[in-house]
Amino acid sequence: MSWVGDFCAAGHTLDPMPPPLPNPGQTSDADRQRIRTFIATGETTLTSAERAFDALRDAPSRDGHDLLVKYRKSVDGALANSHDLGHEAAEFPAADLESVLVIADVDLGLFNPVTYPAADYGSLADYVRAHPALAAAYRMAPGCHT
């Protein structure tokens, strides 16, 4: 049960992910800094989450191990994409920034480590319900239901 509570605490480092940015439809240089700040905020949050998940000790069950691997893979993938998006936000012509904004919104503003990059479970609770070895510990772990 303790490991699941630690896992949930690590997962809460993702709670301050920035919400999606409003899309003006047509972007200009005036939008560039707003998009870059959005991406930088997401990168900071993902980096904190990466450190928190890396600090977890080994999971006590195969299901816990698989869940941790899934989260680490999701966070690492989104972090790599955000680095690329940051470069694109700095270099793309102003008229093409809308594509960077849309991808950043999907990758960062709508980030969910359980479903990233392809949905197979809708939430952490859905994943846990499908894996009985985690379910009881999840229900009883402090910090998993905040």
Side-chain angles (χ1 to χ4, degrees):
M1 177 168 52
S2 174
W3 184 89
V4 173
D6 293 344
F7 178 87
C8 288
H12 289 309
T13 62
L14 292 165
D15 290 346
M17 283 299 282
L21 285 175
N23 188 336
Q26 177 112 16
T27 52
S28 67
D29 274 322
D31 297 303
R32 188 178 306 278
Q33 188 56 46
R34 178 175 70 99
I35 295 168
R36 290 180 75 192
T37 299
F38 173 77
I39 293 168
T41 301
E43 281 184 330
T44 299
T45 302
L46 288 166
T47 299
S48 294
E50 182 180 53
R51 287 186 194 126
F53 288 120
D54 286 347
L56 285 175
R57 64 190 185 286
D58 289 337
S61 69
R62 180 71 186 167
D63 288 341
H65 171 78
D66 291 348
L67 179 62
L68 181 56
V69 167
K70 182 177 203 40
Y71 265 63
R72 284 180 172 160
K73 184 176 179 182
S74 296
V75 169
D76 290 348
L79 193 53
N81 287 348
S82 69
H83 291 315
D84 293 342
L85 288 168
H87 293 295
E88 292 167 359
E91 298 170 6
F92 271 33
D96 295 333
L97 284 174
E98 182 180 7
S99 62
V100 176
L101 171 63
V102 169
I103 294 168
D105 273 348
V106 170
D107 269 9
L108 300 174
L110 301 175
F111 179 76
N112 177 340
V114 177
T115 61
Y116 183 93
D120 56 356
Y121 291 96
S123 69
L124 175 59
D126 292 338
Y127 185 94
V128 168
R129 277 193 291 276
H131 296 85
L134 297 173
Y138 177 79
R139 280 192 306 274
M140 296 173 61
C144 286
H145 308 282
T146 58

